[in-house]
Amino acid sequence: MSVESAFVDPPKLRLAWFWWAVGYVLLAWTVNDSLERHPPDFGALFANDKVLHFTGYFLLAIWFGGVARRRSYWLVGLCLIAFSGFIEIAQGLMHHGRQAEWLDFLANSLGVTSALVIAMIVIPVCSALILRLSAIGDGTTTFPQAP
């Protein structure tokens, strides 16, 4: 694979099934933490609840952005935003110390969108850099010679 093609679509991950499984565990953990009756207090770590929502979904989207093919980012974003909406609806239906807040949904959606935009830029650049560095010394990469 050439460095230029890494910008179009990075190489397929080794053990992709494992990385997807870890992502599904992260989603299950998110469901558990989101639907607990007495959620943990992250007040000392995050001054604002919306920052916590943004950060959590940003990290989920970065994870899945690293696992999914670049051409599937729109589907990753759609699924994570829908997941966030279902969590908010479930919280509204619980009536046990949780309530639906649509500003949480907005913060989640902004976290997903921001992460996938960053992933579209950073992941191909990192893949191309790794490919370039791995090609040094194998005779396939030539560098200009000093005069």
Side-chain angles (χ1 to χ4, degrees), residues 10-105:
K12 187 173 179 171
L13 285 176
R14 291 184 186 141
L15 301 174
W17 63 271
F18 174 75
W19 302 117
W20 280 103
V22 170
Y24 294 136
V25 168
L26 292 173
L27 289 175
W29 186 17
T30 302
V31 169
N32 181 59
D33 283 356
S34 297
L35 299 180
E36 279 186 302
R37 286 186 182 202
H38 304 289
D41 183 20
F42 291 106
L45 195 58
F46 296 98
N48 186 333
D49 176 53
K50 305 313 175 238
V51 173
L52 177 63
H53 282 269
F54 179 92
T55 304
Y57 278 85
F58 180 91
L59 293 174
L60 280 173
I62 283 290
W63 181 268
F64 284 105
V67 176
R69 304 294 278 179
R70 188 173 185 203
R71 62 181 171 265
S72 300
Y73 282 2
W74 69 271
L75 184 59
V76 168
L78 184 68
C79 288
L80 286 174
I81 290 171
F83 175 77
S84 167
F86 288 130
I87 292 289
E88 289 303 320
I89 290 168
Q91 286 178 342
L93 296 174
M94 283 181 53
H95 304 296
H96 292 291
R98 291 295 197 149
Q99 60 192 30
E101 290 187 37
W102 295 108
L103 287 177
D104 289 350
F105 176 73

Side-chain angles (χ1 to χ4, degrees), residues 20-21 24 27 30 56 60 87 92 101 109 112 114 116-117 125 134 140:
W20 280 103
Y24 294 136
L27 289 175
T30 302
L60 280 173
I87 292 289
E101 290 187 37
S109 300
V112 168
S114 301
L116 291 176
V117 166
V125 170
S134 66
T140 60

Side-chain angles (χ1 to χ4, degrees), residues 110-122:
L110 290 173
V112 168
T113 305
S114 301
L116 291 176
V117 166
I118 290 171
M120 288 184 79
I121 297 166
V122 172

